[in-house]
Amino acid sequence: MASATYGLLSNFLFPWFLEPLHHLPQVRQATNQIVMNCADIDIITASYVPEGDEEIHATGFNYQNEDEKVTLSFPSTLQPGTGTLKIDFVGELNDKMKGFYRSKYTTPSGEVRYAAVTQFEATDARRAFPCWDEPAIKATFDISLVVPKDRVALSNMNVIDRKPYPDDENVVEVKFARTPVMSTYLVAFVVGEYDFVETRSKDGVCVRVYTPVGKAEQGKFALEVAAKTLPFYKDYFNVPYPLPKIDLIAIADFAAGAMENWGLVTYRETALLIDPKNSCSSSRQWVALVVGHELAHQWFGNLVTMEWWTHLWLNEGFASWIEYLCVDHCFPEYDIWTQFVSADYTRAQELDALDNSHPIEVSVGHPSEVDEIFDAISYSKGASVIRMLHDYIGDKDFKKGMNMYLTKFQQKNAATEDLWESLENASGKPIAAVMNTWTKQMGFPLIYVEAEQVEDDRLLRLSQKKFCASGPYVGEDCPQWMVPITISTSEDSSHAKMKILMDKPEMNIVLKDVKPDQWVKLNLGTVGFYRTQYSSAMLESLLPGIRDLSLPPVDRLGLQNDLFSLARAGIISTVEVLKVMEAFVNEPNYTVWSDLSCNLGILSTLLSHTDFYEEIQEFVKDVFSPIGERLGWDPKPGEGHLDALLRGLVLGKLGKAGHKATLEEARRRFKDHVEGKQILSADLRSPVYLTVLKHGDGTTLDIMLKLHKQADMQEEKNRIERVLGATLSPELIQKVLTFALSEEVRPQDTVSVIGGVAGGSKHGRKAAWKFIKDNWEELYNRYQGGFLISRLIKLSVEGFAVDKMAGEVKAFFESHPAPSAERTIQQCCENILLNAAWLKRDAESIHQYLLQRKASPPTA
């Protein structure tokens, strides 16, 4: 039996028990040592009791701290057979947001208290109890928690007994049902003060959402989503949810977005709580996606678990894909698959074009290497190639293959190859051969295409080369991919005229019956994970489809994004892309605007290093003001979710660029909001806050900080934290950076405050980098090993565009190592050098183009 003592709160000592495991440990061959994972734990006594024999006490504990292991030595040999290992130990309730840690919260009366919560993925169960902390070493867990009687105690399973604790009348012992066979990283327990809302899914599973005290109302949206999602997955996988209950709980201090612990899913408050009055549309959408993601893991990850962290992408890529399928089912009005392209697909391509990217499947040794792969490749590229695979196989066979996989491996572990085998059996297609080209080598192809009219047919010549952020691929042995390619024409822009598998470097294709005036487009729906470069004649014929909207939205987005990336890589000129961007004047689609806005943001950041930054702001105003005028400030009857998102995006973009009418209206509405005359709708708060801060002074910043202090909802605090960096004066920037590390900001949110400063202005970027160097020790201790340190570094330095900055960043991290962020640092340095090259190459021609536009403005 393992028991441990943890200090919690100033007035409680917290004993906590893990009962004997149901599967008794088995000694396979005679030994006098047992090696286990163990970190930040002191073992007091340990003994082994062979079945039906006498207890043998361990006489030595040798800690290998570097490897997070302990060796228990016994005076006599442990003979083969089953037995019970008993360990008494003391652990620390830490402040690191990993392992068993304390999370600070404030009661409705303003008192600061702590909850005790867990976060074990990837390798931190060993901080809570000595164990074999690897995904393939599964066991059942009988958990009992001894807790203050006025606290809520939760674990993976339902409570089966709750009784007074003999030594203290203020304490109770809560016993939970035995878990199924599962991995250690999915074990969880939470002790704190919470309210909850509950319902039953139509399959009879008890679903609860736990919220901070007094905020049960804010759990209703997530509850609704969860109750719809469980039956959706049950039907999709054709496998029932295996536990009697599922709890979703909001944790105050939480490093990730959420964690899929089996039966007890933990979330940041902003990923779970929705206030009908004060939550914006993008928050609802985010909560729906995160709930969809974590519940998918209950099958894909928890019931069937990856063999080792090399296959992490299977868990995360799959859940990141199916969360969209689930949200599309629950909220068809979100047009969520178009948003996928902007949020995941293009983000993954941006990272994967770098020389310092990595394959989806990456071999992992030390725990710090595991943290490193929780990145856009595992999640977003993983999701993108699964989306491409699903399209290639077809939904029916894909579902059939998924069911075969989950049924065959339930309560076991599996590798990437096992999934391919199930999908291959279901579809009869060469899945492993195709997918190995996408998961075992890094990068993706650029497909170059040119066309020739031959009588009534169109002849296409296709060739593939690896796409590189630094320009055309040079080098021997260019990697090759097996690329599922779809081709559409203007005759029917939403259906493929032809589907082929491009399995060689070059191919010729004949499209029958295509008239000379019809356009031809590759990658229908932007589903294939590749970029396309058209001959100039083909591109010319496609551009009118942007203006007259005859190309579907996701294809307009893909076309623009491909061109922007080709310009960034120096394959075409940036001016060509600016001309294409001007063709989007009639664009109605939110996601298309969102992607355009993102790319213009990247360009603005680049040009902040020049003396014509104001000219690009004029360009932004010209592109965005027609849609801004059409939308106006207030919702119109019949508008929906996407209109609200678009209005926020456009007003924020115009306000930030200093569009006069937008700025004046933002100031007026902000004043009314602060004075309580007319509270801003949640969807308008971010753009208004951003606009008034960017063009405000010290008083504006003080008002914002006051609003932050008064905000009862974490979403509102985060909304303010993310825009504080827009302030421009050096003293105020310093004030914001100091605020980032203050008690007012939750530890996981410091990153977005500092990142906001770095992204806010040229001076902010320098100040944020200096601040990180000056406060490195505190920041590193706070986030060590976790992915927040990688995010902090990325947000802070990747906007630089001077060669010597890459050297400075590299040198700083050579003397201040951050092992789990090593790859991120290399990627940032590569990006800085790429920015510098882009600036040298195109700055002058961009400047000339912007001046020429000013002299003779284009007619819409």
Side-chain angles (χ1 to χ4, degrees):
M1 160 176 203
S3 76
T5 310
Y6 290 88
L8 175 76
L9 312 175
S10 49
N11 55 341
F12 281 115
L13 262 183
F14 223 4
W16 164 78
F17 300 111
L18 183 76
E19 293 286 350
L21 297 184
H22 176 49
H23 295 296
L24 299 172
Q26 204 168 19
V27 176
R28 298 242 172 110
Q29 56 192 63
T31 178
N32 61 355
Q33 289 189 331
I34 293 178
V35 182
M36 308 172 77
N37 289 113
C38 175
D40 301 335
I41 276 175
D42 289 325
I43 294 176
I44 299 160
T45 62
S47 61
Y48 179 72
V49 187
E51 214 170 1
D53 211 335
E54 281 183 25
E55 189 165 359
I56 305 167
H57 287 275
T59 47
F61 316 127
N62 179 18
Y63 299 95
Q64 293 100 56
N65 291 338
E66 195 55 28
D67 292 332
E68 301 182 342
K69 286 178 181 166
V70 64
T71 303
L72 311 177
S73 304
F74 293 87
S76 56
T77 304
L78 311 182
Q79 296 304 327
T82 54
T84 307
L85 181 64
K86 295 182 179 182
I87 303 177
D88 252 324
F89 60 95
V90 177
E92 172 199 13
L93 199 60
N94 69 59
D95 283 321
K96 294 176 182 167
M97 293 193 285
K98 61 184 187 179
F100 193 18
Y101 72 92
R102 59 182 202 161
S103 165
K104 187 163 102 175
Y105 64 97
T106 309
T107 64
S109 63
E111 187 190 337
V112 170
R113 290 188 182 167
Y114 292 91
V117 303
T118 57
Q119 167 60 36
F120 290 164
E121 190 180 26
T123 55
D124 292 312
R126 62 192 67 174
R127 289 176 203 283
F129 50 92
C131 55
W132 289 278
D133 197 10
E134 294 183 6
I137 307 179
K138 289 188 165 188
T140 59
F141 293 84
D142 294 339
I143 291 175
S144 294
L145 297 174
V146 178
V147 302
K149 68 179 182 193
D150 59 353
R151 295 293 192 267
V152 172
L154 301 170
S155 186
N156 304 81
M157 297 298 288
N158 48 305
V159 174
I160 49 171
D161 191 24
R162 185 185 169 96
K163 57 180 189 232
Y165 191 60
D167 305 345
D168 186 340
E169 61 182 33
N170 294 314
V171 173
V172 292
E173 182 175 347
V174 183
K175 193 171 185 272
F176 299 90
R178 173 168 296 155
T179 70
V181 176
M182 63 186 279
S183 304
T184 47
Y185 79 89
L186 295 165
V187 173
F189 23 90
V190 174
V191 183
E193 297 176 288
Y194 300 94
D195 285 345
F196 67 86
V197 284
E198 77 175 326
T199 187
R200 272 191 188 277
S201 74
K202 70 170 198 240
D203 306 321
V205 178
C206 177
V207 185
R208 284 184 176 181
V209 174
Y210 282 84
T211 73
V213 173
K215 295 186 177 178
E217 181 77 7
Q218 294 179 17
K220 284 185 172 167
F221 178 74
L223 185 71
E224 226 171 277
V225 176
K228 276 187 191 164
T229 298
L230 285 174
F232 172 75
Y233 287 145
K234 179 195 163 220
D235 294 346
Y236 196 86
F237 298 133
N238 200 12
V239 173
Y241 173 71
L243 307 187
K245 63 94 176 173
I246 187 154
D247 298 326
L248 293 74
I249 184 166
I251 304 293
D253 294 333
F254 198 74
M259 174 62 209
E260 68 268 19
N261 317 301
W262 215 357
L264 176 58
V265 186
T266 45
Y267 293 79
R268 274 191 188 196
E269 287 185 9
T270 47
L272 191 68
L273 303 181
I274 290 295
D275 176 341
K277 282 198 191 67
N278 292 304
S279 288
C280 60
S281 304
S282 58
S283 294
R284 280 169 199 277
Q285 182 176 299
W286 174 238
V287 168
L289 284 168
V290 180
V291 169
H293 180 100
E294 303 309 331
L295 296 194
H297 277 311
Q298 306 301 306
W299 284 262
F300 208 98
N302 302 8
L303 182 65
V304 177
T305 310
M306 68 235 145
E307 183 66 41
W308 178 243
W309 298 108
T310 300
H311 306 282
L312 169 80
W313 86 273
L314 252 194
N315 261 12
E316 296 306 347
F318 184 84
S320 300
W321 168 76
I322 206 165
E323 69 184 66
Y324 283 86
L325 198 71
C326 164
V327 167
D328 194 44
H329 164 78
C330 295
F331 303 98
E333 71 277 15
Y334 285 9
D335 181 29
I336 204 75
W337 279 115
T338 306
Q339 296 194 52
F340 174 89
V341 176
S342 180
D344 282 271
Y345 172 99
T346 56
R347 182 168 157 247
Q349 287 193 338
E350 206 172 295
L351 184 54
D352 205 26
L354 298 177
D355 294 342
N356 285 296
S357 181
H358 64 87
I360 281 179
E361 291 186 67
V362 68
S363 59
V364 170
H366 195 270
S368 71
E369 294 171 18
V370 182
D371 286 324
E372 220 177 348
I373 56 172
F374 282 83
D375 66 357
I377 299 295
S378 297
Y379 284 72
S380 298
K381 183 180 180 182
S384 299
V385 299
I386 285 174
R387 174 171 168 254
M388 172 170 74
L389 173 66
H390 173 265
D391 187 68
Y392 172 60
I393 294 178
D395 191 58
K396 189 173 160 230
D397 286 348
F398 188 86
K399 277 163 117 161
K400 192 167 121 194
M402 289 306 310
N403 172 262
M404 285 159 68
Y405 171 78
L406 288 170
T407 309
K408 182 175 177 183
F409 293 100
Q410 57 186 324
Q411 300 202 348
K412 299 193 186 83
N413 296 76
T416 303
E417 290 68 33
D418 297 316
L419 179 62
W420 297 162
E421 190 186 336
S422 296
L423 291 170
E424 204 155 291
N425 289 339
S427 68
K429 290 184 171 175
I431 305 303
V434 172
M435 293 308 288
N436 285 343
T437 67
W438 298 97
T439 67
K440 292 189 184 301
Q441 57 184 6
M442 73 179 204
F444 58 92
L446 170 65
I447 308 286
Y448 180 75
V449 54
E450 50 190 18
E452 187 187 329
Q453 190 72 22
V454 181
E455 293 173 353
D456 292 338
D457 304 334
R458 192 78 55 94
L459 170 68
L460 300 183
R461 290 189 196 87
L462 272 56
S463 58
Q464 60 159 304
K465 276 257 168 77
K466 181 180 186 305
F467 178 74
C468 300
S470 54
Y473 181 85
V474 283
E476 302 298 302
D477 305 330
C478 183
Q480 295 293 310
W481 284 264
M482 291 176 77
V483 193
I485 286 181
T486 50
I487 304 167
S488 59
T489 71
S490 45
E491 187 182 8
D492 181 356
S493 61
S494 54
H495 287 95
K497 189 173 176 76
M498 184 183 255
K499 290 184 173 191
I500 55 156
L501 185 66
M502 183 175 182
D503 54 3
K504 41 185 175 287
E506 292 177 356
M507 271 179 115
N508 289 347
I509 298 160
V510 176
L511 282 181
K512 294 279 183 200
D513 303 322
V514 179
K515 297 185 181 67
D517 61 346
Q518 289 180 342
W519 52 252
V520 169
K521 183 181 180 299
L522 264 62
N523 205 0
L524 173 69
T526 318
V527 173
F529 198 74
Y530 57 89
R531 293 202 178 279
T532 308
Q533 185 185 3
Y534 294 96
S535 67
S536 47
M538 285 184 82
L539 183 61
E540 269 319 296
S541 70
L542 280 167
L543 294 181
I546 291 178
R547 250 178 214 281
D548 65 20
L549 310 178
S550 59
L551 272 173
V554 70
D555 291 286
R556 301 195 292 269
L557 188 162
L559 192 59
Q560 177 268 133
N561 198 285
D562 278 353
L563 289 169
F564 187 77
S565 295
L566 289 167
R568 213 173 165 179
I571 295 169
I572 62 174
S573 93
T574 306
V575 169
E576 271 182 68
V577 187
L578 290 173
K579 288 177 181 167
V580 171
M581 285 176 168
E582 294 188 82
F584 282 87
V585 283
N586 307 316
E587 183 56 59
N589 185 282
Y590 160 69
T591 313
V592 177
W593 275 113
S594 170
D595 198 68
L596 198 62
S597 163
C598 229
N599 289 339
L600 277 170
I602 290 166
L603 199 55
S604 287
T605 300
L606 183 78
L607 299 178
S608 68
H609 298 274
T610 69
D611 53 8
F612 59 91
Y613 178 67
E614 282 316 311
E615 269 85 353
I616 192 74
Q617 299 315 302
E618 288 304 315
F619 181 83
V620 170
K621 286 186 268 190
D622 287 348
V623 170
F624 278 84
S625 52
I627 178 80
E629 277 160 35
R630 284 203 300 278
L631 284 168
W633 278 79
D634 297 303
K636 300 174 183 64
E639 282 189 352
H641 176 77
L642 293 163
D643 301 290
L645 292 181
L646 180 57
R647 181 173 287 109
L649 173 80
V650 171
L651 293 175
K653 203 74 181 167
L654 286 168
K656 194 176 177 187
H659 181 257
K660 196 161 174 289
T662 307
L663 175 55
E664 285 167 5
E665 184 63 10
R667 282 180 172 152
R668 188 184 71 73
R669 289 182 182 239
F670 183 66
K671 186 169 179 285
D672 285 354
H673 176 71
V674 172
E675 291 170 1
K677 283 184 195 156
Q678 178 73 52
I679 298 299
L680 278 166
S681 75
D683 284 312
L684 288 179
R685 287 182 204 171
S686 279
V688 167
Y689 293 169
L690 176 74
T691 302
V692 297
L693 265 171
K694 172 95 193 256
H695 307 282
D697 54 17
T699 313
T700 323
L701 180 61
D702 288 341
I703 294 170
M704 289 305 304
L705 293 175
K706 191 173 159 200
L707 286 177
H708 181 277
K709 202 175 181 62
Q710 290 167 349
D712 176 45
M713 201 180 177
Q714 200 51 35
E715 179 188 323
E716 176 75 354
K717 285 189 189 292
N718 283 172
R719 196 175 359 249
I720 294 168
E721 287 159 2
R722 279 197 295 268
V723 298
L724 290 174
T727 192
L728 287 177
S729 93
E731 316 75 89
L732 298 181
I733 284 172
Q734 224 34 60
K735 186 172 176 176
V736 171
L737 288 168
T738 308
F739 173 75
L741 273 180
S742 72
E743 286 289 310
E744 296 291 321
V745 178
R746 287 193 178 162
Q748 71 266 23
D749 298 323
T750 298
V751 173
S752 51
V753 182
I754 299 173
V757 170
S761 62
K762 187 180 177 181
H763 179 79
R765 196 160 33 249
K766 288 181 181 159
W769 171 233
K770 184 178 185 312
F771 185 79
I772 285 175
K773 290 188 294 182
D774 293 346
N775 296 277
W776 176 249
E777 208 162 304
E778 182 177 348
L779 289 163
Y780 186 66
N781 285 339
R782 184 186 278 200
Y783 305 123
Q784 60 181 1
F787 61 88
L788 281 173
I789 202 81
S790 297
R791 187 173 296 170
L792 177 70
I793 294 165
K794 178 175 159 48
L795 287 172
S796 305
V797 304
E798 69 175 358
F800 286 115
V802 185
D803 286 356
K804 74 171 193 338
M805 275 310 302
E808 186 181 313
V809 170
K810 188 168 178 275
F812 178 78
F813 289 111
E814 274 168 2
S815 57
H816 302 79
S820 69
E822 210 168 298
R823 189 180 277 120
T824 300
I825 294 160
Q826 290 162 349
Q827 289 163 349
C828 287
C829 292
E830 184 178 346
N831 265 324
I832 294 170
L833 295 173
L834 288 168
N835 287 342
W838 185 13
L839 203 55
K840 280 195 199 88
R841 196 175 56 234
D842 277 3
E844 194 40 47
S845 59
I846 295 171
H847 191 191
Q848 288 312 315
Y849 175 70
L850 295 174
L851 289 175
Q852 180 196 325
R853 268 184 92 257
K854 229 180 190 169
S856 52
T859 47

